């Protein structure tokens, strides 16, 4: 009797377990996963290019004469106006040279007057008068040269801009050509960025205002408030990188941008017949993007895809998918490779326009 009782208990347990398993399988069969296809349409995508920011004018300020640095009238980081005096080289020697030249010019001028009177009286020849006149012209030229050397002891700002740090200090002995500082005109900024050959060809083929106007993403990931404009493309490609340099000009009224900054230029690029999928339909493995493709038998298989552009909530697919492929929209963590599932197909246009409705 005891054995019969145990056998009946085991049968009952197996029956209950079998019923539970069948109920779970039936429940799983009732789950339908949403699938969709890539949406093919013309669109605009944004692309970021690493860039370098340059002042529209950035020069080295150098000494034009030899001598001791006698005075510094400005400070590092100061804004200076065009023509403002910045440095003074000791002018004593150049003042002495100017006085000497002026004295010689006065002496030669007196000789010229005397020679003219003698020539008028036919006492000296016209050749002697011409020689005296030439000496006078040379003396005046020496005066002009001495004045120029004296003026070069005063170093003034060639344009309005911001001073960089000093390369010399007060009292330094300068040689002609020694670097004093640098000066930057930051009223406008030239931003250089490199574009691959294929994208350059797209730019030239589909050139319009959307591509001409660009934005600057600064190093702190904030968008610079003033848009820029692509104005220049360099003549040659870099044979090592296959890129060509673009130059965009940005206004800088608040002087926020400085020479030497880095960032990214954000350009709007038209895409013809682009394949668009939701970002939430993808997953990443070892920095590669994948989707689950559902075949005609509703079997799930993963497939690697290439991304051409990224926009809010969507990817533009470069490779790996076609317009007719069906991809899993939700439940990516609930399926396995080569698993057969039940699906509910959603039109791509509806998915893209209502992405928030298909959140997991």
């Amino acid at each position: 009797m005891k054995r019969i009782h145990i056998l009946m208990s085991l049968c009952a347990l197996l029956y209950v377990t079998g019923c539970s398993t069948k109920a779970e399988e039936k429940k799983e069969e009732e789950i339908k996963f949403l699938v969709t296809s890539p949406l093919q349409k013309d669109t605009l995508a944004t692309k970021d290019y690493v860039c370098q920011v340059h002042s529209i004018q950035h020069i080295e300020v150098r000494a034009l004469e030899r001598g001791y640095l006698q005075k510094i009238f400005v400070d590092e980081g100061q804004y200076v106006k065009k023509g403002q005096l910045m440095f003074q080289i000791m002018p004593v020697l150049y003042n002495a040279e100017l006085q000497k030249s002026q004295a010689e010019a006065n002496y030669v001028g007196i000789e010229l007057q005397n020679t003219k009177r003698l020539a008028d009286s036919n006492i000296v020849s016209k050749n002697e008068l011409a020689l005296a006149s030439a000496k006078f012209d040379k003396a005046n030229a020496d005066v002009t040269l001495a004045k120029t050397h004296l003026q070069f002891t005063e170093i003034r700002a060639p344009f309005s801009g911001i001073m960089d740090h000093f390369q010399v200090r007060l009292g330094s002995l300068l040689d002609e050509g020694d670097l004093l500082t640098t000066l930057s005109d930051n009223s406008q900024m030239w931003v250089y960025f490199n574009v691959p050959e294929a994208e350059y060809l797209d730019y030239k083929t589909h050139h319009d205002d959307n591509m001409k106007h660009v934005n600057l993403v600064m190093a702190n990931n904030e968008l610079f408030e003033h848009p820029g404009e692509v104005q220049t493309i360099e003549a040659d490609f870099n044979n090592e990188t296959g890129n060509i340099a673009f130059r965009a000009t940005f206004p800088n009224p608040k002087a926020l941008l400085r020479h030497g900054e880095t960032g990214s230029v954000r350009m709007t690029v038209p895409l013809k017949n682009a394949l668009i999928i939701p970002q939430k339909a993808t997953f990443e493995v070892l920095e590669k993007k994948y989707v689950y493709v559902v075949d005609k038998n509703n079997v799930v298989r993963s497939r690697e895809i290439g991304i051409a552009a990224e926009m809010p909530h969507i990817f533009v697919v470069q490779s790996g998918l076609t317009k007719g492929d069906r991809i899993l929209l939700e439940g990516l963590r609930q399926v396995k490779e080569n698993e057969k599932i039940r699906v509910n197909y959603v039109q791509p246009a509806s998915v893209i326009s209502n992405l928030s409705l298909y959140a997991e």
Side-chain angles (χ1 to χ4, degrees):
M1 286 296 292
K2 186 175 182 181
R3 289 181 178 178
I4 295 174
H5 180 71
I6 293 173
L7 183 61
M8 290 179 63
S9 299
L10 288 173
C11 291
L13 179 62
L14 290 173
Y15 175 77
V16 172
T17 303
C19 292
S20 176
T21 302
K22 290 181 180 179
E24 289 178 359
E25 291 177 351
K26 185 175 180 181
K27 183 177 181 181
E28 290 180 359
E29 289 177 356
E30 291 177 353
I31 297 177
K32 285 188 176 183
F33 294 90
L34 293 182
V35 298
T36 188
S37 299
L39 177 64
Q40 189 172 40
K41 62 177 291 187
D42 294 342
T43 186
L44 295 174
T46 57
K47 291 190 176 182
D48 289 353
Y49 302 89
V50 176
C51 67
Q52 289 187 332
V53 180
H54 293 256
S55 301
I56 194 171
Q57 291 190 93
H58 179 77
I59 65 165
E60 295 177 339
V61 180
R62 294 182 177 271
L64 297 175
E65 295 292 347
R66 188 177 186 276
Y68 286 100
L69 184 59
Q70 187 178 40
K71 292 182 180 179
I72 299 177
F73 298 94
V74 291
D75 197 2
E76 296 175 333
Q78 179 181 339
Y79 178 82
V80 296
K81 295 182 179 180
K82 181 178 179 180
Q84 182 175 340
L85 183 60
M86 298 188 295
F87 301 97
Q88 172 75 64
I89 297 173
M90 187 176 292
V92 176
L93 178 62
Y94 301 100
N95 274 322
E97 289 181 352
L98 176 59
Q99 292 173 4
K100 178 183 176 182
S101 298
Q102 287 175 337
E104 290 180 354
N106 293 335
Y107 176 78
V108 173
I110 294 172
E111 283 190 338
L112 177 60
Q113 295 297 327
N114 292 334
T115 305
K116 280 183 178 180
R117 285 194 292 269
L118 293 174
D120 291 340
S121 302
N122 293 323
I123 298 175
V124 297
S125 66
K126 292 183 178 179
N127 287 338
E128 290 186 11
L129 177 61
L131 181 60
S133 179
K135 288 182 179 179
F136 180 72
D137 291 339
K138 180 181 180 301
N140 285 330
D142 289 341
V143 172
T144 302
L145 181 61
K147 287 181 178 179
T148 302
H149 283 296
L150 181 60
Q151 289 175 354
F152 283 168
T153 63
E154 294 183 349
I155 301 173
R156 298 179 180 271
F159 54 81
S160 298
I162 298 175
M163 300 279 299
D164 199 5
H165 63 275
F166 297 143
Q167 301 292 336
V168 294
R169 294 295 183 266
L170 198 65
S172 300
L173 177 60
L174 304 177
D175 283 326
E176 183 178 344
D178 280 355
L179 179 63
L180 304 179
T181 185
T182 57
L183 183 64
S184 300
D185 178 4
N186 293 342
S187 58
Q188 289 184 317
M189 307 303 289
W190 281 349
V191 178
Y192 293 87
F193 58 101
N194 294 321
V195 176
E197 184 176 355
E199 295 176 16
Y200 159 79
L201 293 173
D202 290 338
Y203 175 87
K204 298 297 289 186
T205 303
H206 307 292
H207 181 75
D208 57 24
D209 287 341
N210 288 326
M211 300 181 69
K212 187 176 181 181
H213 293 93
V214 295
N215 291 296
L216 176 63
V217 181
M218 297 180 290
N220 60 355
N221 291 322
E222 291 188 7
L223 197 66
F224 184 57
E225 60 179 322
H226 300 285
E229 183 177 331
V230 176
Q231 294 183 335
T232 300
I233 302 174
E234 289 191 359
D236 300 327
F237 278 89
N238 186 316
N239 292 331
E240 296 181 357
T241 63
N243 295 335
I244 192 169
F246 281 45
R247 191 192 77 197
T249 303
F250 285 80
N252 191 30
K254 297 181 181 178
L256 177 62
L257 301 179
R258 296 292 180 99
H259 181 85
E261 285 188 36
T262 59
S264 298
V265 168
R266 181 164 293 170
M267 178 184 288
T268 302
V269 180
L271 299 176
K272 300 292 184 181
N273 297 319
L275 290 179
I276 301 172
I277 63 172
Q279 288 189 16
K280 67 184 299 297
T282 68
F283 61 97
E284 190 170 316
V285 177
L286 298 177
E287 299 183 354
K288 295 182 179 180
K289 290 286 191 301
Y290 291 84
V291 295
Y292 280 122
V293 177
V294 182
D295 65 15
K296 61 181 180 179
N297 296 320
N298 293 340
V299 176
V300 175
R301 291 185 174 87
S302 62
R303 185 184 298 176
E304 183 183 351
I305 60 173
I307 304 300
E310 179 179 349
M311 291 176 280
H313 306 298
I314 62 175
F315 285 131
V316 177
V317 178
Q318 185 177 25
S319 60
L321 287 177
T322 64
K323 182 181 178 180
D325 287 330
R326 296 188 303 167
I327 60 175
L328 190 63
L329 180 61
E330 65 173 17
L332 275 65
R333 298 183 182 88
Q334 301 174 21
V335 299
K336 298 179 181 179
E337 187 78 9
N338 298 320
E339 181 181 358
K340 187 173 183 179
I341 61 174
R342 299 183 68 193
V343 301
N344 185 14
Y345 185 81
V346 184
Q347 292 296 327
S350 176
V351 172
I352 297 300
S353 60
N354 299 283
L355 281 176
S356 60
L357 300 180
Y358 298 99
E360 293 187 42

